[in-house]
Amino acid sequence: MTLILASRSSARRQMLQAAGVEVSLDPADLDEGAFKGRLLSEGATAAAVAEALAGQKALTVSSRRPGALVLGSDQTLELDGTLYDKAASLDEARARLGQFSGRTHRLHSGAALACDGQLVWSVCDTAELTVRSLSRTYIDAYVATNAEAALSAVGGYWLEGEGVQLFERIEGDYFTILGLPLLPLLAELRGRGVMVS
């Protein structure tokens, strides 16, 4: 059985394929801002937002793909109770890295499976990342050479690239940091017979 990934994320697709999961993409095209805003207005935590967004993406695609197992995923970044979205400009990315400097933020990665318009499984995992003290010179140089990561990743970094230099301590699962709680997902896929156990 091919798993449908309700996303355009090449990173998540590559993670799944590298783990031996057959996957095809069918983006949910959800209005994430409105959905997230509603959840936050209802008092949802950052972790709950990641898991709920993952579930909504899976449900959205599942409703148009009968019989298919659909994976939704999402990630939120939280610093001192504030949620951050991807930076809209390089200036914003530089400012954000300045805010993260010398502090610990949390990445919450949610995943959910849906089939025939019903949510059948979900999980959220959290990692804590402590950014070392960064000089303005370093931040400027980092953003100049890592502009794509600065704008495409919520934290402004790809841990699997030069972004690892931003940190002094990381606590949590590597795949969760990349945006998908892969180990619990693989266990669930094996349990459902999608993969050989």
Side-chain angles (χ1 to χ4, degrees):
M1 171 189 273
T2 298
L3 182 69
I4 308 297
L5 178 59
S7 170
R8 286 187 176 82
S9 172
S10 59
R12 289 184 180 105
R13 180 183 192 175
Q14 288 169 3
M15 262 190 280
L16 289 162
Q17 289 176 330
V21 180
E22 290 183 44
V23 63
S24 63
L25 303 185
D26 187 353
D29 293 326
L30 180 69
D31 183 351
E32 293 183 36
F35 189 77
K36 187 186 299 185
R38 182 174 60 76
L39 291 170
L40 292 173
S41 72
E42 295 170 356
T45 64
V49 169
E51 191 167 353
L53 277 165
Q56 189 59 45
K57 289 176 182 179
L59 287 169
T60 298
V61 173
S62 177
S63 67
R64 63 181 184 242
R65 301 292 293 260
L69 187 62
V70 179
L71 169 64
S73 58
D74 203 86
Q75 185 179 64
T76 57
L77 186 152
E78 172 191 12
L79 174 66
D80 296 337
T82 300
L83 260 66
Y84 288 80
D85 292 317
K86 294 174 185 173
S89 68
L90 293 178
D91 285 341
E92 186 178 346
R94 281 188 283 273
R96 182 164 303 165
L97 289 172
Q99 290 176 309
F100 292 172
S101 178
R103 301 168 77 189
T104 300
H105 63 267
R106 293 179 176 185
L107 288 174
H108 307 282
S109 289
L113 294 170
C115 188
D116 292 322
Q118 297 292 318
L119 198 62
V120 296
W121 176 84
S122 70
V123 69
C124 186
D125 192 42
T126 298
E128 293 190 349
L129 297 89
T130 302
V131 176
R132 65 185 178 87
S133 292
L134 305 173
S135 68
R136 176 55 56 193
T137 302
Y138 178 80
I139 291 172
D140 289 344
Y142 170 81
V143 171
T145 57
N146 294 277
E148 186 179 357
L151 295 177
S152 66
V154 68
Y157 55 82
W158 291 332
L159 194 67
E160 64 275 32
E162 192 177 333
V164 73
Q165 292 190 38
L166 299 170
F167 300 98
E168 67 180 34
R169 190 174 73 251
I170 295 173
E171 296 178 28
D173 181 76
Y174 177 73
F175 299 108
T176 291
I177 295 166
L178 296 187
L180 185 65
L182 186 61
L183 298 179
L185 172 63
L186 292 175
E188 181 65 19
L189 293 176
R190 286 190 297 269
R192 291 180 171 275
V194 175
M195 302 176 67
V196 176
S197 61

